[in-house]
């Protein structure tokens, strides 16, 4: 990949280069202990309000105590219930009121402590409070560490769909403490891993090969392997965001596997039955098979993706989806959900397709009929 992002090669640190809004992603085990120093360096003179997932109360209180020692804390932690349901207007209102009650000012900053839900919700609140206060992301899930905490997308869900209301609001700092992964449930870890694989598949064949060889070390939560996997993912995201912050072009590459994946997720009702990363795993294999069906690449591309993802129990075809969810989508259901995609124009879809592992591109104007024929064949022969 070529890009304009200047990436620090220093282990554990990536710069997202966006002019005077550039920021660091700092990655390491046990960063909590040095959080006040990182915060004071990135946001000198600021005080901080913490918005945290209530399942992380021990970690949040630890951070609270450390900030208090340095006089950096604004007031009580605002806890948010775990789960996607919190990305809603009523929680947004509650968080905004809590932060206003703390007396938040534009010189202050919000710390979002949790997974993607907290990052999106607290990030959105930060972007609209007092017309924008600064934000620090402290992502605690693998998915948030490699994807949602970086790049500035914030938002909430509505009855019409996910993330339909939101803003671009870049953080001023991302603090990724690998220690938070120690207690992450295996299924959530696995779902986050699908997004790591996405980076190799979309833009770095060497990284993909590295994952094929080192996946067991990553899953054993080996510190060096995790650092490399997260660092490389963040480097790739930083490069893409630096050259297309507002998704007018290349940023869409980050949606590899997401159009098919979102359709399956929506069909499953955005429930625990099929977490986002599992939908993405299946979606990536479908996108690779669709690329193959369009003559863009040979069969080894989808085969390698499928072999690697299924090694870790991720769904990679409709048969494994059926085994997991206990039912199969119909063709019409899948097409209906795909057409709700934000990227549909005049009945034609935009998909991210592959010419090989690490060679993705944005394909505009993919005809509905080609997708229909492809999905029909996949549903008839679900392996
Ligand atoms: N998660 C895709 C993006 O940040 O653009």
């Amino acid at each position: 990949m070529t890009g304009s992002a200047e990436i620090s090669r220093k282990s554990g640190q990536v710069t997202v280069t966006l002019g005077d809004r550039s920021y660091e992603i700092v990655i390491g085990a046990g960063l909590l202990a040095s959080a006040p120093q990182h915060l004071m360096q990135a946001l000198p003179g600021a005080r901080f309000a913490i918005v945290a997932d209530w399942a992380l109360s021990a970690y949040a209180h630890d951070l609270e105590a450390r900030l208090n020692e340095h006089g950096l804390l604004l007031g009580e932690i605002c806890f948010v219930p775990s789960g996607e349901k919190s990305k809603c207007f009523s929680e947004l209102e509650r968080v905004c009121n809590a932060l206003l009650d703390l007396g938040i000012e534009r010189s202050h900053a919000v710390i979002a402590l949790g997974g993607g839900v907290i990052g999106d919700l607290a990030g959105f609140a930060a972007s609209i409070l007092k017309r924008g206060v600064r934000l620090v992301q402290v992502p605690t899930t693998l998915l948030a560490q490699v994807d949602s905490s970086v790049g500035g997308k914030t938002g909430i869900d509505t009855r019409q769909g996910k993330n339909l209301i939101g803003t671009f609001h870049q953080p001023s700092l991302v603090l990724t403490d690998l220690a938070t992964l120690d207690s992450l449930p295996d299924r959530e870890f696995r779902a986050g891993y699908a997004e790591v694989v996405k980076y190799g598949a979309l833009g770095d064949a060497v990284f993909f090969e590295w994952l094929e060889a080192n996946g067991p070390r990553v899953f054993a939560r080996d510190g060096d392997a995790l650092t490399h996997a997260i660092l490389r993912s963040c480097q790739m995201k930083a490069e893409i965001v630096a050259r297309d912050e507002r998704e007018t072009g290349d940023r869409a590459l980050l949606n590899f596997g997401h159009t098919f994946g979102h359709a399956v997720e929506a069909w499953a009702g955005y429930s625990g039955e099929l977490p986002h990363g599992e939908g993405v795993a299946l979606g990536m294999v479908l996108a690779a098979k669709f690329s193959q069906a369009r003559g863009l690449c040979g069969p080894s591309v989808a085969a390698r993706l499928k072999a690697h993802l299924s090694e870790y129990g991720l769904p990679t075809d409709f048969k494994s989806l059926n085994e997991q969810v206990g039912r199969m989508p119909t063709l019409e259901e899948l097409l209906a959900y795909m057409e709700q995609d934000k990227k549909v124009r005049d009945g034609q879809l935009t998909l991210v397709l592959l010419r090989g592992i690490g060679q993705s591109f944005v394909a505009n104007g993919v005809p509905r009929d080609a997708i229909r024929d492809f999905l029909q064949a996949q549903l008839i022969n679900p392996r």
Side-chain angles (χ1 to χ4, degrees):
M1 287 191 354
T2 56
S4 59
E6 273 168 35
I7 288 176
S8 161
R9 296 292 164 200
K10 199 172 121 199
S11 170
Q13 198 147 327
V14 176
T15 306
V16 183
T17 304
L18 290 166
D20 60 4
R21 293 175 299 118
S22 297
Y23 58 95
E24 298 296 321
I25 305 164
V26 185
I27 301 160
L31 276 186
L32 181 67
S34 52
Q37 286 69 32
H38 288 293
L39 292 167
M40 287 188 286
Q41 191 184 341
L43 297 99
R47 286 166 70 211
F48 300 88
I50 303 172
V51 178
D53 187 318
W54 69 12
L56 295 163
S57 62
Y59 193 90
H61 284 303
D62 214 340
L63 179 63
E64 177 185 43
R66 287 173 198 273
L67 295 192
N68 251 335
E69 279 168 21
H70 294 266
L72 295 175
L73 195 71
L74 204 50
E76 281 189 8
I77 301 171
C78 171
F79 282 108
V80 173
S82 310
E84 189 72 26
K85 283 197 166 56
S86 285
K87 276 178 60 176
C88 63
F89 276 117
S90 59
E91 267 310 297
L92 177 70
E93 183 181 6
R94 198 181 64 78
V95 169
C96 286
N97 278 326
L99 294 172
L100 289 168
D101 287 344
L102 290 180
I104 195 146
E105 293 171 8
R106 294 187 77 184
S107 60
H108 298 148
V110 172
I111 295 178
L113 172 65
V117 167
I118 303 297
D120 286 4
L121 175 70
F124 188 27
S127 75
I128 55 176
L129 277 165
K130 305 268 170 110
R131 299 207 169 86
V133 300
R134 288 170 297 170
L135 171 69
V136 175
Q137 292 275 10
V138 182
T140 59
T141 64
L142 184 56
L143 193 136
Q145 293 177 352
V146 299
D147 186 20
S148 56
S149 67
V150 177
K153 283 188 180 174
T154 79
I156 57 169
D157 306 332
T158 64
R159 65 181 168 76
Q160 292 88 351
K162 281 182 75 171
N163 299 321
L164 293 182
I165 297 191
T167 54
F168 285 98
H169 186 62
Q170 297 292 341
S172 301
L173 176 68
V174 181
L175 282 180
T176 293
D177 184 354
L178 301 182
T180 60
L181 297 181
D182 291 348
S183 54
L184 190 68
D186 287 346
R187 191 168 182 194
E188 263 197 77
F189 188 89
R190 224 167 33 226
Y193 185 73
E195 296 278 359
V196 175
V197 173
K198 179 187 81 176
Y199 291 104
L202 76 86
D204 186 346
V206 173
F207 183 46
F208 190 86
E209 271 171 41
W210 184 89
L211 291 170
E212 287 178 318
N214 291 281
R217 287 177 60 215
V218 175
F219 274 84
R221 306 191 194 192
D222 167 282
D224 287 343
L226 266 180
T227 304
H228 181 71
I230 294 170
L231 191 69
R232 184 63 194 131
S233 301
C234 289
Q235 285 173 339
M236 292 185 67
K237 182 149 187 184
E239 282 187 11
I240 291 173
V241 168
R243 60 176 195 258
D244 179 24
E245 184 185 2
R246 296 258 161 174
E247 200 167 316
T248 54
D250 272 6
R251 186 162 180 167
L253 294 175
L254 296 172
N255 295 327
F256 174 57
H258 282 58
T259 305
F260 287 115
H262 278 153
V264 180
E265 256 189 282
W267 163 79
Y270 295 114
S271 61
E273 281 183 325
L274 193 77
H276 174 69
E278 294 184 8
V280 170
L282 172 55
M284 289 193 291
V285 176
L286 290 174
K289 284 184 174 170
F290 185 70
S291 305
Q292 179 187 334
R294 305 284 285 171
L296 293 164
C297 63
S300 66
V301 175
R304 275 178 74 188
L305 258 172
K306 185 176 164 97
H308 186 59
L309 294 165
S310 57
E311 200 176 327
Y312 299 104
L314 285 157
T316 54
D317 52 36
F318 286 112
K319 185 164 186 292
S320 48
L321 180 73
N322 189 16
E323 281 161 9
Q324 185 167 310
V325 180
R327 58 202 161 91
M328 280 278 268
T330 65
L331 178 61
E332 294 312 326
E333 283 172 329
L334 286 178
L335 288 172
Y337 284 119
M338 282 186 86
E339 280 167 8
Q340 280 174 14
D341 193 281
K342 293 195 220 48
K343 293 172 290 305
V344 178
R345 272 210 196 115
D346 300 330
Q348 300 207 314
L349 277 101
T350 296
L351 289 178
V352 180
L353 301 180
L354 296 181
R355 293 200 172 89
I357 294 285
Q359 297 169 53
S360 64
F361 67 100
V362 179
N364 294 307
V366 180
R368 185 181 193 272
D369 286 352
I371 294 174
R372 164 184 280 276
D373 293 349
F374 168 75
L375 283 175
Q376 191 158 37
Q378 294 300 312
L379 288 164
I380 290 169
N381 181 14
R383 263 278 172 228

